[in-house]
Amino acid sequence: MESIIQFAKSEKEVTRYYKYAVVIAKINEYLTKETGEQFHQFSDIETTNEIWEVLEEDIALKSEELQYLKPIYDFTETADISSVHNEKKMEFIIKQRMQNQLFYYPKFKVALARTSMFMENEENVKDLIFGANEKQMKEFLDYILVRKRQYIKDYVTIFVDSDGGVETGKEKITNLVHRDDVFLEEEMKKQIYRSIDEFFNNNGEFFRTYNIPYKRGILLYGEPGNGKTTLVKSIANSISAPVAYWQITEYTSSYSIGEVFSSVAKMAPMVLVIEDIDSMPEEVRSFFLNTLDGATSKEGIFLIGTTNYPEEIDPALINRSGRFDRAYEIPMPNPQFRRDYLVRKKMTEFVSMEELEEIVMLTDGCSYADLNEIYNSTALQWHYDKKVDVTVICKEIQNDNHKMSSRDWKSNKKQFGFRS
């Protein structure tokens, strides 16, 4: 079908359009010559970037499904140099660039190009999708969803609300946390893990069997440093389902709430962790609650909210089933848990069992984060002095905690440095 405006006839009349159209035409011409197919363009404004995430992953893995065709422009970069950090050192890696390159999925007759459009005094980046027909495009989109679920299990998806919208990233799961690493009262652990296991076993068959809506929400609250994050990491490591973290900020809006739930719905069944849920801005709380109450917005989503300040939580969040069904307090560790934690950390490599018991007595009211710092300080002192004064180390940690809680950072010690 002939278009109303044809770029070849309107170069002088529509300069900006001509510059855009010539890029499309050249790519189309090359694709037809290379494959023998006629291609149409498709828009992806509703896919929230899944196509390009999978393309990036397929490039990195050198997928057999993907074929690299050609650079789009002369004299543009074809590879990216980046750095990665591991436990030992920083390393540089070189990987094929996605922008200004043409890629092709022969099985689906779909070509992708994230390319620059040089117009007037500006450069715009356009995501271009070319397909031979709708049928194969639908098959390609099914492939995208399957591939995303496959690779996302090795990552945690991170959503951060910013002033420019929702920023999405992913982090490789490297430091594995097991269920045995979680120190909690046994009955509470059993309830939480049973709930998780039944949600993901057999695609939620339990929920269908007992006619229960396939959505679940739990709230974890308690003092900082007591293992809420460790518990969540153990959950992420023990299920074969995607996990996403959503960081609430002052920029969280009705738009970002909609974006996040739209994205996670495509990964369901999955776990969505909302960090510091008490920081949800006042003006969007009603919208957030309405989203949780939606008929399908939480379908297949296991929601975990965390907070250090439960008194700041909107009561409406936990007074109705389907929002947060249960609230669990993650308490300060009791003497037995403090002992077990330090033994697990192998503290006895530096201290005797008698000294370990002394640490347990001296750390009443300490969190797991405090115990971890005691271990670090002990290891450092042992490394240099080959002996440890556990009493001094524990009292220093307790003193720091007192200063933080009382906000009294002054002491009678002599001051050093500049004074006003």
Side-chain angles (χ1 to χ4, degrees):
M1 180 184 295
E2 188 174 282
S3 303
I4 296 173
I5 300 175
Q6 298 173 354
F7 85 89
K9 299 177 182 179
S10 56
E11 176 181 355
K12 294 180 181 179
E13 300 167 7
V14 195
T15 305
R16 286 173 64 88
Y17 167 68
Y18 178 82
K19 290 181 178 180
Y20 168 83
V22 73
V23 175
I24 309 299
K26 290 289 186 182
I27 294 175
N28 249 320
E29 180 183 327
Y30 172 79
L31 285 172
T32 299
K33 179 181 176 182
E34 188 73 15
T35 67
E37 299 285 343
Q38 294 293 322
F39 288 86
H40 310 279
Q41 272 189 270
F42 292 80
S43 171
D44 72 330
I45 58 174
E46 296 295 331
T47 66
T48 58
N49 223 34
E50 283 88 0
I51 290 174
W52 307 97
E53 289 176 9
V54 170
L55 174 61
E56 184 178 25
E57 191 72 10
D58 282 350
I59 292 171
L61 295 176
K62 295 181 170 56
S63 169
E64 294 181 358
E65 297 283 358
L66 181 66
Q67 181 181 345
Y68 172 60
L69 295 181
K70 264 191 173 184
I72 293 172
Y73 295 101
D74 286 335
F75 311 115
T76 55
E77 302 89 341
T78 57
D80 288 323
I81 300 172
S82 60
S83 60
V84 294
H85 297 263
N86 56 37
E87 294 180 357
K88 296 181 179 180
K89 62 180 179 179
M90 181 183 77
E91 295 179 352
F92 290 105
I93 58 173
I94 298 175
K95 58 183 181 180
Q96 186 168 18
R97 200 160 197 252
M98 186 163 66
Q99 190 167 322
N100 291 324
Q101 317 295 316
L102 184 60
F103 297 93
Y104 186 57
Y105 287 89
K107 178 179 177 180
F108 307 104
K109 297 180 182 177
V110 170
L112 302 174
R114 174 168 280 175
T115 187
S116 301
M117 296 289 184
F118 300 99
M119 297 181 179
E120 302 296 333
N121 297 320
E122 63 181 0
E123 175 189 358
N124 293 323
V125 177
K126 291 284 291 183
D127 292 342
L128 304 177
I129 302 175
F130 302 88
N133 57 65
E134 286 191 14
K135 179 178 179 295
Q136 288 186 294
M137 179 59 70
K138 289 178 181 176
E139 292 174 355
F140 172 69
L141 295 176
D142 290 338
Y143 163 81
I144 291 294
L145 292 178
V146 170
R147 279 288 292 117
K148 179 159 185 178
R149 283 195 63 83
Q150 286 173 343
Y151 87 77
I152 208 65
K153 292 176 185 178
D154 296 327
Y155 296 90
V156 171
T157 302
I158 310 293
F159 298 108
V160 179
D161 295 333
S162 71
D163 58 352
V166 181
E167 295 181 359
T168 304
K170 60 182 189 289
E171 291 184 7
K172 187 81 172 176
I173 299 175
T174 53
N175 298 323
L176 301 181
V177 177
H178 302 283
R179 294 186 177 188
D180 289 343
D181 297 322
V182 176
F183 294 93
L184 271 181
E185 191 270 325
E186 202 57 40
E187 181 61 28
M188 185 187 297
K189 279 184 72 171
K190 184 174 71 173
Q191 288 184 21
I192 292 173
Y193 287 127
R194 270 186 181 178
S195 183
I196 283 284
D197 290 340
E198 283 304 333
F199 196 86
F200 293 104
N201 280 350
N202 301 317
N203 293 317
E205 180 63 29
F206 167 84
F207 290 80
R208 287 187 291 274
T209 300
Y210 295 98
N211 196 28
I212 301 172
Y214 189 34
K215 48 187 178 180
R216 186 76 176 157
I218 63 173
L219 179 68
L220 307 177
Y221 67 93
E223 294 290 328
N226 271 342
K228 294 187 293 296
T229 300
T230 299
L231 175 57
V232 170
K233 286 181 177 179
S234 77
I235 291 171
N237 181 46
S238 62
I239 61 172
S240 58
V243 177
Y245 275 73
W246 179 19
Q247 183 60 63
I248 302 297
T249 72
E250 68 270 27
Y251 298 113
T252 298
S253 64
S254 57
Y255 171 79
S256 66
I257 292 170
E259 279 287 292
V260 169
F261 275 94
S262 174
S263 296
V264 300
K266 295 169 186 173
M267 293 190 275
M270 56 86 65
V271 171
L272 174 61
V273 181
I274 307 181
E275 295 267 6
D276 303 324
I277 197 168
D278 54 276
S279 60
M280 180 78 66
E282 182 73 35
E283 62 272 16
V284 297
R285 291 183 181 182
S286 292
F287 184 86
F288 177 65
L289 294 176
N290 290 335
T291 301
L292 293 186
D293 291 338
T296 60
S297 60
K298 267 185 63 190
E299 185 76 16
I301 298 174
F302 195 108
L303 191 63
I304 302 176
T306 71
T307 178
N308 296 328
Y309 308 101
E311 67 276 5
E312 299 294 329
I313 290 283
D314 188 332
L317 270 176
I318 51 177
N319 69 356
R320 183 187 299 180
S321 178
R323 292 176 178 175
F324 287 96
D325 307 290
R326 295 292 302 272
Y328 295 100
E329 180 181 6
I330 310 301
M332 288 286 193
N334 61 28
Q336 183 61 52
F337 284 152
R338 295 201 297 274
R339 184 181 298 106
D340 292 345
Y341 181 82
L342 292 171
V343 169
R344 179 71 62 84
K345 292 287 290 185
K346 298 183 178 179
M347 178 67 93
T348 50
E349 291 184 2
F350 313 118
V351 302
S352 66
M353 283 304 298
E354 291 78 10
E355 289 173 310
L356 181 69
E357 291 300 327
E358 183 181 357
I359 295 173
V360 171
M361 289 189 299
L362 291 171
T363 51
D364 184 43
C366 285
S367 67
Y368 289 110
D370 294 329
L371 296 176
N372 191 60
E373 179 54 32
I374 288 171
Y375 171 84
N376 294 341
S377 296
T378 300
L380 186 64
Q381 193 174 98
W382 173 262
H383 179 74
Y384 282 98
D385 303 334
K386 300 306 177 190
K387 61 180 181 179
V388 178
D389 190 332
V390 295
T391 302
V392 170
I393 292 174
C394 292
K395 286 184 177 179
E396 286 176 347
I397 295 296
Q398 290 283 31
N399 189 43
D400 287 345
N401 285 342
H402 174 73
K403 287 179 178 180
M404 283 189 287
S405 61
S406 66
R407 304 295 184 185
D408 182 10
W409 296 96
K410 297 179 181 179
S411 71
N412 294 323
K413 293 180 180 179
K414 184 178 178 180
Q415 299 294 316
F416 295 92
F418 295 103
R419 299 184 67 179
S420 57

